[in-house]
Amino acid sequence: MSKQTAATPATKRVNVRGAIESLSDTAIVVKTREGPDATVALSDGWQVGGVAKASIDDIKKGDFVGITNVPKSEGVASAVEVVIFPAALKGTGEGDRPWDLKPNSSMTNATVADAVKDIDGRTLTVVYHGTEKKIAIPDGTPIVTLAKASKDDLKPGATVFISAERGNGDSLSTKRIVVGTNGIVPPM
């Protein structure tokens, strides 16, 4: 995923999740998880990436991660999914903001400061903009890392995650598509 740029006042970020219906040189049509189709224009120079399975043991101090999480008791959030970013993307979208994967969820993109393993799994302390947040990662939480994929992986039925921009009206456009490959679905 590329470093986030500020959206112009006329644009808004929209996440599109679902299965590919069709693809052309200029657009992708996705059957969304909500049901209706979404047509997303492909911006010049658009790219495709994938995800690969990772595990809790792959997360190390100093790694940059993106964790969708929901509030939990006692000031510790609970992870819904984890993406381990490659070192070249450290700092991408750093911060904590509302996210639309589940009700009341947020996305925290941050650096792992500490990892503590205990009987109930693992809790990470992550740091973003000088703020610390503790996030528990329950057993069974999907954990992935970004991986190579190609336009050949964009076939009808393949699962995708697209962070698109909504322009004037209802038009959507993107510069990047994340596609599931080898049975791994983008959990974002």
Side-chain angles (χ1 to χ4, degrees), residues 54-139:
S55 77
I56 192 78
D57 294 327
D58 295 321
I59 302 171
K60 308 287 187 244
K61 184 176 181 177
D63 283 349
F64 192 74
V65 294
I67 305 175
T68 301
N69 57 94
V70 293
K72 187 179 161 186
S73 63
E74 301 170 18
V76 177
S78 181
V80 176
E81 61 86 18
V82 179
V83 177
I84 305 168
F85 288 98
L89 294 179
K90 189 168 188 162
T92 300
E94 182 172 348
D96 186 72
R97 63 195 156 284
W99 196 243
D100 63 348
L101 185 59
K102 288 191 167 206
N104 206 27
S105 65
S106 63
M107 173 60 72
T108 305
N109 286 8
T111 301
V112 177
D114 192 18
V116 179
K117 188 170 183 167
D118 59 27
I119 294 173
D120 295 324
R122 184 167 285 180
T123 299
L124 298 179
T125 300
V126 294
V127 178
Y128 57 92
H129 302 300
T131 301
E132 285 190 353
K133 183 172 184 176
K134 292 189 183 303
I135 304 174
I137 302 178
D139 289 341

Side-chain angles (χ1 to χ4, degrees), residues 44-58:
D44 289 340
W46 68 278
Q47 298 178 342
V48 62
V51 290
K53 185 175 175 68
S55 77
I56 192 78
D57 294 327
D58 295 321

